[in-house]
Amino acid sequence: MKLAILRRDLAKAEIHVRDGARHVAHQQAIVTELESHGHDTALARELLASLRNMQVTHQADRDRIAREIEDEESVHQRSTGR
């Protein structure tokens, strides 16, 4: 049961990482576009920094869940003799 929940959580985390990467890339393109036209990029850069920080958090969550799955699978294998 716990493994099923962890796998579901990992799938959600993978979506967050994928979507986060897309958001970061989009915001970077906006910053680049603003710069190319000589516009102020301060707010756009702040948002980009926030998105990058969120992405780090999403990746850490994904990695933590993946480790939990590995740990649970290891415990399960030891308990079943496999």
Side-chain angles (χ1 to χ4, degrees):
M1 182 67 167
K2 184 174 182 179
L3 269 173
I5 292 168
L6 287 170
R7 287 186 179 118
R8 183 199 65 210
D9 290 348
L10 181 60
K12 288 179 183 179
E14 290 287 357
I15 290 168
H16 291 159
V17 168
R18 184 194 67 223
D19 290 349
R22 194 178 71 245
H23 294 306
V24 167
H26 179 72
Q27 189 62 25
Q28 180 60 62
I30 290 170
V31 169
T32 301
E33 180 72 15
L34 289 170
E35 283 177 339
S36 73
H37 290 96
H39 296 290
D40 181 13
T41 61
L43 289 176
R45 286 183 178 282
E46 285 181 34
L47 178 56
L48 179 58
S50 293
L51 290 170
R52 286 179 173 157
N53 288 334
M54 282 192 291
Q55 185 67 354
V56 168
T57 300
H58 291 318
Q59 290 168 334
D61 287 344
R62 178 205 53 204
D63 295 347
R64 177 189 51 78
I65 295 166
R67 284 191 305 274
E68 286 185 47
I69 289 171
E70 288 176 9
D71 292 346
E72 284 296 316
E73 288 175 338
S74 179
V75 167
H76 178 72
Q77 288 173 353
R78 285 194 304 269
S79 70
T80 61
R82 293 180 185 163

